[in-house]
């Protein structure tokens, strides 16, 4: 389960960012994960929950955005979503496809929790 190692790397990166930037807390971490990464979101969430126990990130919400695999046909310049790993242009049948997205694995954002609440909101 490589998702556990990925989750641990995410936790380490965010804790390091918290320390370097002086963040008091983090409420949410957003990830962008491409369809070609073979990462199972549920397994990543499970690994993340195990990795944040007893850390300042224990109450942090992990938000995962799955990015579809997309490509451009080099023959006819058609942009399209690649489904079922079929790298074939739906317009011309060309097989010379440039992948344009789908291999991402990145922390897209970190939502800071400064610990302050507004007493005027409910």
């Amino acid at each position: 389960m490589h998702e556990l190692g990925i989750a641990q790397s995410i936790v380490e990166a965010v804790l390091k960012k918290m320390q370097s930037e002086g963040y008091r807390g983090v409420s949410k971490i957003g990830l962008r994960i491409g369809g070609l990464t073979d990462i199972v979101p549920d397994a990543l969430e499970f690994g993340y929950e195990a990795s944040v126990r007893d850390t300042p990130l224990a109450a942090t919400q992990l938000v995962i955005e799955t990015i579809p695999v997309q490509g451009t046909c080099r023959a006819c310049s058609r942009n399209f979503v690649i489904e079922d790993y079929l790298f074939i242009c739906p317009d011309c049948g060309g097989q010379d496809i440039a992948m344009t997205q789908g291999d991402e694995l990145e922390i897209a954002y970190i939502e800071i929790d400064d610990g302050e609440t507004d007493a005027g909101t409910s």
Side-chain angles (χ1 to χ4, degrees):
M1 179 165 125
H2 70 287
E3 284 87 351
L4 179 58
I6 293 168
Q8 290 170 336
S9 294
I10 292 165
V11 170
E12 289 170 12
V14 174
L15 288 173
K16 185 175 180 180
K17 183 74 170 174
M18 284 178 69
Q19 185 177 30
S20 70
E21 298 293 328
Y23 299 155
R24 291 173 47 192
V26 171
S27 59
K28 204 178 282 185
I29 299 169
L31 303 178
R32 291 174 40 94
I33 300 176
L36 285 178
T37 62
D38 287 332
I39 294 173
V40 178
D42 288 342
L44 180 60
E45 288 175 7
F46 180 80
Y48 179 79
E49 289 172 12
S51 298
V52 296
R53 271 191 214 128
D54 301 323
T55 75
L57 300 176
T60 303
Q61 179 185 4
L62 187 66
V63 178
I64 299 174
E65 176 187 2
T66 303
I67 307 299
V69 181
Q70 189 168 328
T72 301
C73 177
R74 289 189 174 108
C76 72
S77 300
R78 163 85 189 272
N79 294 315
F80 61 98
V81 173
I82 298 167
E83 297 181 26
D84 299 322
Y85 301 103
L86 295 175
F87 289 80
I88 300 171
C89 178
D91 280 355
C92 73
Q95 296 181 18
D96 188 8
I97 309 301
M99 193 179 69
T100 57
Q101 70 178 31
D103 62 349
E104 298 86 354
L105 175 53
E106 61 188 11
I107 298 173
Y109 63 89
I110 300 171
E111 191 172 292
I112 306 306
D113 179 11
D114 62 10
E116 297 178 16
T117 58
D118 185 349
T121 61
S122 51

